[in-house]
Amino acid sequence: MSYGVTGATLRVMTHIPPPPAVELQLLDAELRQLDARRAQLLHRRAWLLTALQPVWSAPVSPPLPAKQPRREATAPGVQNVLLLLGGLLLTLAATAFTLVSWGSMGIAGRALVLGAVTLAALGAPVLLLRRGLRSTAESFAGIGLALTVLDTYALHEVAFAGGDGVRFAAAASAVLALVWTAYGIGTAALPRPATTRTTPTTAPASPTLLLPLPAALAIAQLPLILWAIAAGGGLRTITAAVLLTTVIDMVVALRATPKAVRFVAAGGAFGMGGWGVLATGLISLDAAGPGAAARAAALFALAAAGAFGAAWLASGRGLRTSTAAAGGLFVVAALGGMLRAATPADWTVPGYLACGIALLALVRGRLPEPVRHGLGWASGIVQASSVLWTLPAVGVTLLGPAAWLSRAWSGAPGDAREAAATDTFWPTHATTTPLILLAVAAVLALTVQAAAWRPQALAAALTLTWATALTLPTALQLPYNVGLLVPGGTIMALLVLRHRMATTLALVTSLALACLALAAEPATLAVLASLTAVFAAAAWRGRLAPATAAASLTYATALACAVGASPDWQPQHIALLVLLVPATAALLAARVADPTTTKAIEITGAAAALVAIDLATTELPMLALVLALCGVIVAGTAIRPERRNLGYAAAALFVLATWVRLAASDVTDPEAYTLPVAVPALLVGALRRRRDPSATSWTAYGPGLAVTLAPSLLAAWTDPHWTRPLLLGTAALAVTLLGARHRLQAPLVLGGSTLALDALHELAPYLAQVVGALPRWAPPALAGLLLLALGATYEQRIRDARRVREVLGRMN
C-alpha cells in the first residue's frame, strides 16, 4: 500500500479490489477534494502576500562608508622622483660651478674642491649601500659619474687646452669607461649588509649599483670612433671603427649577466650596426674601381663576421635566424659590390642575384639549422628584391601598348621596345630583366620541394617565366613582328598547360598583344583572327571554357569591327557585320552542355549586340534594321525551353525597331501604321488566351498594345493640338478599364501609364503655374506628408495582419 494514499481513501477501500467503475469514481472524488484543498491554500497565500506587502518593502541600505582619497603615487615612486630631482639639481649646480665660477679660485683650490666633491659623491654610495639605502646610493653614484666628466673637462681646460680636443676626448672616454667599470665591479664586490632587516616576503636589498656598468658601456661607444677621427681617417676608417664597436657591443650583449648592461649593449649594437652598415653600403655604391669595392667588401665582411658570430653564440632561435639572415645579406652586398665594380651597369642586379642564389649552397651544408634557415631567408630577400627591380620594365611591356588605342593604324614602330614605350620611358639598365626573372623562376622550381609550398612555388615560377617571355622582345629591342610572335606563342603555350593561372595569364597577354597589334592594319587583322581561333580551340577542348569562349567571341567582335573599318565602311554598316557575333553566340549556346559556359557565351553575345546597336545609332533606318535583327536572334534563342522568358525581350526589340523606323520616316500620324499591326496582334493574343488560359497578358496583349500606344504617346507629346491627346487618353482609359475588369496586368499597366503621361502632358502648363505660385517649402512639405501617410498606412496594415494572426491562433 502506498504511503501517499489519504485517510479518506482508506476508509472506503476494501482488501478486495473493487470493479473498475467503482475505482474510477473513487479516484474522481479524491481528485475533486485535492483541487478544493489547493484552491483554499492558494487563496490563503494571496491574503498573506497582501498583508505582508508593507513589511516586504525595499530595505533601507545602510550608509556607505566615506571613500578614502585615492593615492595617485606610490611611496617608492615619490622617493625615486625626489632622488632623481635632487641628483639632477646637484649635477647642474656642479656644472655651473665648473663653467662659471671656475676663474675665481686658484689651481689648488679648484682641484681640491672638485676632487673632494667627486670623492665624496663616489664614496657616499658605499656607506649608503651598507645601510640598505640603495636608491639614494644610485642617486649619489649618478652625481659622482657626472662629476668625473666635469673633472675631465676641467683637466682639459687646465692642462691640455692647446692640444687636440678630439684626441683628448678619445683618451678621456676610454679612461672614464675603465674607471666607471672598475667602480661598478668594486661596488658589486661589497659584502651584503648584516643590519638590513627583511621580512619573510621580501628579499634583502642587493648592494650592487645598477648605474655604473651601463654608463661605462654607453661611454665606451666613443673611444674607437674618436680615435679614428683624431687619426685623420676618412669615411672607411670611421665606418670600420663603428663596426668594431658594434662587434664589441654584440659580444657584451650575449655574454654579460646584468640585464641593464645587456639592454645598453643591444641598443648600441643595433644603433651602431645600422649606422655602420648604411655607411658601408654608401661606400660600396660609390666605389669607382675594384680597389674601392674591395675595401667596402672588407667592411661588409666585418659586419658579416659580427652577425654570424651572434648567430653562433645566441640562444634564441629567432635571434639566431635573423642575425644569420643579416650576415648572409652582408656577404651578398660584399661580393655583389665587387662584381658591380668589374661589370657594366646593366649587370649590377644580376651580379647581386647570383651571389644571393649562391647562398643556397650553404643552406644544404652542415651548419646549425637556425643559421641555414637564416641564410635561406637572406637568399629569398635578395631574389625578391631583384624581382621588384624588374617590375617597372614588366609594367611598361604589359601596359604600354594601351597607348595604341588612341592612335590605331598610325604605322608600325621600329622595334618592340618602341612599340611598348610609346607614351612612357623604358627603365634604365633593364636589359637583363628577362635573365633575372628566368633565374628566380628556375630557383623556385628546383629548390622548393616541400609539399606544403610546392604548389605556390610552381605558380610563382610559372608567373615569372611568363614575365620573362613577355619582356624578352622589349628588353632586347627585337623587331616589331617578333614582338608580336613571342606573345602569341606564349599564349598558345599557356593554354596547353590546362591550369587556371596559365589561362588567366594567357588572357592578360592577349589584351597586351591586341593593343600592340593596333599599330598596323595587317597586324591588327592577323592578331585578332589568331586570338579568335586560339581561344575558340581552347574553349572547344574545355580549358577554362567560360573564360576562353567569352574571349574568343570578344576578339571576334573586335575582328568584325576591324574588317569593316579596313575598307572604310561607315559605322552603321559595320554594325551589320558585328551582328554575326551574337548570331553565332546564339547558335553555340544551344549546343553547349555546360550551364556556366552557356551563360558566358550569351552574355558576350549580348555585349556584341550592344556594340552593334551603338554603331548603328548614327543612322535611324539602319538602327531600326539592327534592332529588328537583334529581335530575330533573341526570338531564336527563346525557342529553347529554358530561355522562354527571352520572348519578352524579343517583342520589345521588335516594337522598338518599329518605333525607330517610324521616327526615321518622319511619320506624324503613326496610328496609320501601328493600328494595322496592333489589331491583328491583339486578336492573335485573344486566341492564344482562349486556347491557353495559363498564358500571361504580357505575352498575349503586351506587344499589340505597346506597338500602338507608345508611338501615339510620343506623337501626342509634341502635338500642339488637343484632338490626338484626347483620343489617346480615351483609348488608354478604355484599355485600363478593360484590364481592371478582367484583372489583366498588361492592359492595366500599359493603359494606366499612357493615360497618366497623357494627362500630365495636358496639365503640364497649369502644373507649372501652380508650382511657380507655391512657396519653395511647399513641395518638400507635401512630399513629407505623403511619405508619412504611406508609412502610417503601412503600419496600419501590419497591425491588422497581426490581429488576424492572433485571432486565428486563438481559434486553433
Side-chain angles (χ1 to χ4, degrees):
M1 182 69 64
S2 173
Y3 291 100
V5 179
T6 63
T9 304
L10 289 173
R11 287 193 299 269
V12 299
M13 290 182 65
T14 62
H15 296 287
I16 300 173
V22 175
E23 185 178 1
L24 180 61
Q25 292 178 359
L26 294 175
L27 292 176
D28 290 340
E30 183 68 20
L31 289 173
R32 283 194 294 272
Q33 293 179 8
L34 291 176
D35 291 338
R37 181 61 177 167
R38 183 175 183 275
Q40 181 182 1
L41 293 175
L42 289 174
H43 180 73
R44 181 64 178 173
R45 181 179 181 276
W47 182 86
L48 291 174
L49 289 175
T50 304
L52 295 176
Q53 186 66 30
V55 181
W56 283 7
S57 59
V60 178
S61 58
L64 297 176
K67 293 184 178 180
Q68 297 295 330
R70 186 170 61 91
R71 296 180 179 180
E72 298 181 352
T74 61
V78 174
Q79 164 195 300
N80 294 333
V81 170
L82 294 177
L83 292 175
L84 179 62
L85 290 176
L88 181 60
L89 291 176
L90 287 177
T91 303
L92 292 175
T95 304
F97 169 77
T98 304
L99 298 178
V100 179
S101 302
W102 190 255
S104 62
M105 300 179 65
I107 183 65
R110 288 177 279 183
L112 182 61
V113 171
L114 269 182
V117 175
T118 302
L119 291 177
L122 293 176
V126 178
L127 299 177
L128 294 172
L129 287 174
R130 289 180 179 179
R131 294 180 177 273
L133 303 176
R134 179 177 173 179
S135 298
T136 308
E138 291 284 356
S139 299
F140 275 95
I143 296 172
L145 297 180
L147 289 175
T148 56
V149 178
L150 295 177
D151 291 338
T152 305
Y153 172 75
L155 180 62
H156 175 267
E157 292 297 322
V158 173
F160 301 98
D164 188 358
V166 178
R167 193 181 301 274
F168 178 82
S173 59
V175 172
L176 287 176
L178 294 175
V179 171
W180 292 357
T181 302
Y183 181 68
I185 296 174
T187 55
L190 292 175
R192 186 178 300 275
T195 59
T196 303
R197 296 181 180 180
T198 59
T199 63
T201 59
T202 58
S206 173
T208 305
L209 293 175
L210 299 179
L211 185 58
L213 292 180
L217 184 59
I219 202 171
Q221 310 296 313
L222 301 177
L224 289 178
I225 301 174
L226 294 176
W227 278 114
I229 297 174
L235 181 59
R236 297 186 185 88
T237 306
I238 298 173
T239 303
V242 172
L243 293 176
L244 286 175
T245 305
T246 302
V247 173
I248 296 172
D249 290 336
M250 180 267 298
V251 174
V252 174
L254 295 176
R255 293 304 183 188
T257 302
K259 292 184 178 180
V261 175
R262 284 186 294 170
F263 180 78
V264 174
F270 282 106
M272 290 290 183
W275 177 18
V277 170
L278 179 60
T280 304
L282 295 176
I283 293 171
S284 179
L285 292 177
D286 291 339
R295 288 189 289 271
L299 296 176
F300 272 124
L302 179 59
F308 285 129
W312 195 272
L313 298 176
S315 57
R317 177 183 177 87
L319 180 60
R320 298 183 68 183
T321 300
S322 59
T323 51
L329 292 176
F330 297 155
V331 171
V332 170
L335 299 178
M338 296 179 65
L339 291 176
R340 184 191 66 82
T343 56
D346 288 343
W347 292 89
T348 298
V349 177
Y352 283 103
L353 178 61
C355 297
I357 295 175
L359 285 180
L360 296 176
L362 300 177
V363 174
R364 300 181 180 276
R366 297 183 178 180
L367 297 173
E369 196 273 337
V371 177
R372 290 189 286 109
H373 198 163
L375 292 176
W377 273 105
S379 178
I381 291 172
V382 173
Q383 296 178 52
S385 301
S386 302
V387 172
L388 289 177
W389 182 84
T390 64
L391 289 183
V394 176
V396 170
T397 303
L398 189 62
L399 303 177
W404 291 104
L405 292 172
S406 60
R407 56 182 72 178
W409 297 357
S410 59
D415 53 51
R417 182 181 296 182
E418 182 182 350
T422 303
D423 288 346
T424 185
F425 65 93
W426 179 255
T428 57
H429 308 306
T431 306
T432 57
T433 296
L435 178 61
I436 295 171
L437 295 172
L438 185 61
V440 177
V443 170
L444 289 174
L446 298 176
T447 60
V448 180
Q449 300 296 333
W453 294 97
R454 183 67 176 171
Q456 293 84 347
L458 291 179
L462 175 64
T463 304
L464 293 176
T465 305
W466 162 76
T468 301
L470 196 67
T471 56
L472 184 64
T474 53
L476 301 182
Q477 291 183 292
L478 298 179
Y480 173 69
N481 293 332
V482 178
L484 296 177
L485 292 176
V486 171
T490 303
I491 293 172
M492 290 188 288
L494 289 171
L495 292 176
V496 171
L497 294 179
R498 293 179 176 270
H499 192 273
R500 183 177 296 273
M501 176 171 286
T503 305
T504 303
L505 295 176
L507 293 173
V508 174
T509 309
S510 67
L511 292 176
L513 177 60
C515 294
L516 196 65
L518 291 176
E521 179 181 345
T524 302
L525 297 175
V527 167
L528 291 178
S530 301
L531 291 176
T532 302
V534 167
F535 283 109
W540 185 263
R541 294 183 176 274
R543 295 187 179 93
L544 203 62
T548 52
S552 178
L553 292 174
T554 301
Y555 289 121
T557 304
L559 177 62
C561 295
V563 170
S566 180
D568 292 332
W569 286 5
Q570 295 297 321
Q572 62 271 18
H573 299 145
I574 299 176
L576 296 176
L577 192 60
V578 174
L579 282 179
L580 294 175
V581 177
T584 305
L587 295 175
L588 290 176
R591 295 179 175 271
V592 176
D594 182 27
T596 305
T597 306
T598 301
K599 187 176 295 185
I601 292 174
E602 291 175 346
I603 292 175
T604 310
L610 291 177
V611 172
I613 293 173
D614 181 67
L615 291 173
T617 53
T618 56
E619 185 177 328
L620 290 182
M622 189 60 69
L623 177 60
L625 177 60
V626 170
L627 289 172
L629 293 177
C630 289
V632 172
I633 296 173
V634 175
T637 304
I639 297 176
R640 293 157 48 195
E642 69 276 11
R643 293 292 185 267
R644 294 295 189 190
N645 293 332
L646 292 179
Y648 301 109
L653 287 171
F654 286 132
V655 172
L656 185 60
T658 303
W659 296 346
V660 172
R661 185 59 196 173
L662 292 176
S665 302
D666 294 331
V667 175
T668 57
D669 296 325
E671 292 80 7
Y673 299 91
T674 58
L675 287 177
V677 177
V679 172
L682 293 175
L683 293 176
V684 172
L687 293 176
R688 169 74 183 277
R689 288 270 299 176
R690 179 175 296 181
R691 294 183 179 180
D692 184 12
S694 63
T696 63
S697 62
W698 289 102
T699 304
Y701 305 117
L705 292 174
V707 77
T708 185
L709 290 178
S712 298
L713 180 62
L714 294 176
W717 199 265
T718 58
D719 193 345
H721 304 287
W722 59 272
T723 306
R724 186 189 302 275
L726 178 61
L727 295 176
L728 178 62
T730 303
L733 178 60
V735 171
T736 304
L737 295 177
L738 288 174
R741 171 68 178 81
H742 298 283
R743 296 182 181 180
L744 298 177
Q745 190 178 36
L748 188 62
V749 172
L750 294 177
S753 301
T754 305
L755 180 61
L757 292 175
D758 185 63
L760 178 63
H761 172 262
E762 293 301 310
L763 297 177
Y766 305 101
L767 292 176
Q769 294 177 2
V770 172
V771 171
L774 289 176
R776 293 188 176 183
W777 56 265
L782 293 175
L785 291 175
L786 176 61
L787 293 176
L788 289 176
L790 291 176
T793 305
Y794 186 73
E795 183 181 6
Q796 178 66 32
R797 290 183 178 180
I798 292 177
R799 187 174 61 182
D800 294 342
R802 188 180 295 114
R803 289 179 177 176
V804 172
R805 185 177 60 186
E806 292 175 356
V807 172
L808 293 177
R810 286 195 298 270
M811 293 174 63
N812 292 330

